[in-house]
Amino acid sequence: MPHSSSRATRLRRTLTGLLVAGVALLGGTGIASADAVLKASDPPEGATLATPPAAVSLTFNQQVNAKFLTVKVTDPAGKEVNNGAPTATGPVVTQQIQALTVPGAYTIVYRVVSADGHPVSGKRTFTLAPPAATAAEPSSLQASSAAPTSPAAPPTPAASQDNSGDSGFPVWPLLLGVAVLLLGGVAFVLLRNRPDSSTKK
């Protein structure tokens, strides 16, 4: 009886050890075979940007295979705007892009390979919305600021005063003529009334 009891105890211990080893093996295999998961992106998903980015980046929860990277960035018309090939530094994948000039929605499509060899793909979007241009000044203000100020007209010299009447004809010749006529008439009367010397003799 004691012998049978010891055999049962050893069997239980063996089974327990195998069970623990199996659980550990399965757990380790599950961790090692977990696929890469995208944790963040720059620009963030659905972001609206006033300034175009020079590159986009994707951050995963584990290191990805740098030899198998695919990142494609397209503009609102579906045209690819990549500038060179993507690179990976640990869990971060970076893709340089061209200078963006078209406003609208951009799409980032990616495909990477996890550490266990499984491919992982997905996409992100962001919108480029540059601020509106500053309104131009009113044309009237522009004209007033651009047009040079005309010099003031010189003052008109005052008309020289004279003895002219309202009609512009000088008065003094008329007065002189009247005086001459009066003097002539007086002289004529005096000479006429002067006694003649021939009649006295």
Side-chain angles (χ1 to χ4, degrees):
M1 246 358 230
H3 182 67
S4 298
S5 177
S6 62
R7 286 185 59 184
T9 301
R10 286 196 300 268
L11 182 58
R12 284 197 299 269
R13 289 177 179 176
T14 302
L15 292 176
T16 303
L18 292 174
L19 182 60
V20 171
V23 170
L25 182 61
L26 291 175
T29 303
I31 294 173
S33 63
D35 292 340
V37 177
L38 182 64
K39 296 176 60 179
S41 64
D42 186 16
E45 168 64 14
T48 298
L49 308 179
T51 303
V56 298
S57 64
L58 305 168
T59 302
F60 295 87
N61 65 333
Q62 61 178 257
Q63 184 174 348
V64 296
N65 195 326
K67 296 181 180 180
F68 303 99
L69 301 175
T70 301
V71 179
K72 183 178 180 181
V73 184
T74 55
D75 66 7
K79 179 182 178 182
E80 184 174 337
V81 293
N82 286 20
N83 185 12
T87 58
T89 304
V92 180
V93 177
T94 303
Q95 173 65 61
Q96 302 292 327
I97 57 178
Q98 304 170 13
L100 305 183
T101 58
V102 180
Y106 286 76
T107 303
I108 307 169
V109 178
Y110 64 88
R111 185 178 186 275
V112 299
V113 175
S114 303
D116 63 351
H118 289 176
V120 177
S121 61
K123 70 176 182 178
R124 292 292 219 196
T125 60
F126 67 91
T127 301
L128 179 62
T134 305
E137 296 181 359
S139 57
S140 58
L141 295 179
Q142 292 180 351
S144 62
S145 60
T149 304
S150 57
T156 304
S160 57
Q161 296 181 357
D162 54 20
N163 294 327
S164 302
D166 295 339
S167 63
F169 184 81
V171 179
W172 63 269
L174 179 60
L175 297 177
L176 181 60
V178 172
V180 170
L181 290 177
L182 290 176
L183 291 176
V186 171
F188 175 78
V189 171
L190 292 177
L191 291 175
R192 185 177 181 182
N193 296 331
R194 181 180 179 182
D196 191 356
S197 56
S198 59
T199 55
K200 292 182 178 181
K201 294 180 180 180

